[in-house]
């Protein structure tokens, strides 16, 4: 049975790669990569996000100027048309994957719920 689940997961991977939303996202990434200004804004924004995330995970102090830098990087990124489109497509893809995860986790959630109801 678990082999069947892995097969289904591999089919899902192929379906995700072939879906219109993913193809649009790939095109948006390529458009950003080809635009020097957009790519520089993107890497600056991504690096600022990564530093903040890393500090959050390690419990390190995040200084106000770091937050301000990350916010400015985000604002600049959102003002760039190619990056704004990329972020919108990333959000759409993220929502799709969240829906898929919710569906896949439904059997476990139902099991947990039924276990808690018997107490």
């Amino acid at each position: 049975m678990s082999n069947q689940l892995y097969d289904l997961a591999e089919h899902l991977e192929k379906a995700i790669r072939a879906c219109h939303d993913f193809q649009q996202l790939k095109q948006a990434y390529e458009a950003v990569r080809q635009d020097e200004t957009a790519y520089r804004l993107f890497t600056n924004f991504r690096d600022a996000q990564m530093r903040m995330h890393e500090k959050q995970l390690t419990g390190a102090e995040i200084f106000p100027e770091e937050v301000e830098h990350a916010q400015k990087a985000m604002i600049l990124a959102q003002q760039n048309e190619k990056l704004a489109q990329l972020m919108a497509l990333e959000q759409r893809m993220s929502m799709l994957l969240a829906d898929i995860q919710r569906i896949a986790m439904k059997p476990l959630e139902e099991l947990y719920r039924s276990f808690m109801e018997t107490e």
Side-chain angles (χ1 to χ4, degrees):
M1 178 62 173
S2 63
N3 285 342
Q4 184 182 18
L5 291 176
Y6 283 110
D7 289 344
L8 288 170
E10 288 175 3
H11 286 294
L12 177 60
E13 175 197 4
K14 289 175 185 171
I16 290 170
R17 288 180 188 277
C19 85
H20 182 69
D21 289 340
F22 182 77
Q23 292 302 316
Q24 283 187 309
L25 184 59
K26 274 179 64 173
Q27 290 172 357
Y29 268 105
E30 192 56 38
V32 167
R33 185 175 304 161
Q34 297 300 320
D35 182 317
E36 186 178 325
T37 301
Y39 187 72
R40 188 173 54 252
L41 289 169
F42 173 77
T43 57
N44 187 34
F45 171 63
R46 183 198 60 213
D47 292 347
Q49 275 190 319
M50 296 292 277
R51 281 191 300 274
M52 297 277 287
H53 184 68
E54 193 174 292
K55 283 191 163 199
Q56 287 175 331
L57 290 176
T58 61
E61 182 177 0
I62 299 172
F63 298 103
E65 52 273 2
E66 292 173 307
V67 173
E68 185 178 335
H69 173 73
Q71 288 172 337
K72 285 180 181 177
M74 182 180 68
I75 289 167
L76 287 172
Q78 289 173 332
Q79 290 174 347
N80 181 282
E81 184 179 327
K82 289 179 182 173
L83 286 174
Q85 181 180 10
L86 175 71
M87 287 187 247
L89 291 167
E90 281 183 330
Q91 180 65 27
R92 187 171 14 166
M93 195 71 207
S94 178
M95 289 171 53
L96 173 66
L97 293 174
D99 287 344
I100 291 169
Q101 181 178 8
R102 181 182 42 77
I103 293 165
M105 295 302 294
K106 195 171 187 177
L108 287 173
E109 290 173 11
E110 289 172 357
L111 177 65
Y112 297 153
R113 193 175 320 119
S114 70
F115 180 76
M116 298 306 289
E117 290 172 355
T118 60
E119 289 185 6

